[in-house]
Amino acid sequence: MVFYCFTKACKSLMAVSILLENKLPEDAMSLLRSVYENYLHIIYVIQNPDNIDDFVHKKIGLYTGRLQHSTSQKGRKLSNQVIDSETGKTLPYGVGISTLVSRSKYKYDQAVHTIMFPFLSEHTHPNMVASGNYREDDHIHYSYWQGSNTLQAAFFALYISTLILSESLTFEALVEVKEIKYECRQSMKLCKRFLNLMEFPNQFDSLPNDIQNRLTELADHLSRHERCYLKPYT
């Protein structure tokens, strides 16, 4: 599950890079929300390995028909429960984004999430809050070529990819540890340079400090030598 999320995130980041090169930052941020969710799944599974069935057995079980959603007395489907057709056992189903981030071992993940996730989500759905990103300087006409959010999208791509890359150090005894740590530290320096260049609206006032604090946590993570040695899923 962890390697799947890591690979999926890396492939999406390759697409983000292409979008940014072509000045399509809003579409890049839509993908970045997906990349970020992969990060949340990675840290959740590493911290809660006993809950792996929430993402593997139960998902595949629903797809194959072995598991089915429970129904209420009125016949309505209960999306938070499933029944195993072979054992008849009722199981809880679904792990929400808020649960994923709340289980992070990093204190400032929650603080950054509170601002970053809604912002990325605004670009994923047709939310009028984000409509200004598609209007020209006259604030009336819409344009395909408005690229005002390129700096912000590039920053979030760098920040999220740095978190994911640093977490890869816990996967196994990788031979590339020194190289990964070097790349992470270089990325952290770039993140701090970005923060000095960017302007944030009032509702984002706490974000720069929260990100700085999260980068400090990341630096501490890089200085330690933790390994979780992931076991194959049976």
Side-chain angles (χ1 to χ4, degrees), residues 21-132:
E21 288 175 5
N22 288 276
K23 297 183 179 180
L24 296 168
E26 291 79 24
D27 297 277
M29 283 192 277
S30 295
L31 268 181
L32 283 171
R33 184 183 120 147
S34 174
V35 175
Y36 174 61
E37 288 183 17
N38 281 289
Y39 164 69
L40 294 181
H41 279 77
I42 287 171
I43 58 173
Y44 179 87
V45 170
I46 289 177
Q47 287 294 108
N48 305 274
D50 293 340
N51 294 351
I52 184 63
D53 278 345
D54 288 328
F55 306 106
V56 180
H57 169 69
K58 292 178 183 177
K59 294 284 186 180
I60 296 175
L62 268 181
Y63 182 78
T64 59
R66 174 177 175 174
L67 302 180
Q68 294 183 347
H69 281 291
S70 307
T71 56
S72 67
Q73 292 181 346
K74 295 183 178 180
R76 291 189 301 177
K77 183 177 73 173
L78 300 176
S79 59
N80 63 342
Q81 291 182 3
V82 289
I83 298 177
D84 190 320
S85 61
E86 295 185 5
T87 64
K89 188 175 181 180
T90 299
L91 307 168
Y93 181 81
V95 180
I97 294 295
S98 59
T99 300
L100 294 178
V101 72
S102 69
R103 298 288 184 88
S104 172
K105 64 181 178 181
Y106 303 107
K107 177 181 176 181
Y108 287 95
D109 264 348
Q110 179 73 59
V112 175
H113 171 88
T114 302
I115 298 175
M116 184 176 69
F117 186 71
F119 178 73
L120 296 177
S121 298
E122 288 173 4
H123 299 85
T124 305
H125 309 293
N127 188 333
M128 282 302 291
V129 173
S131 63

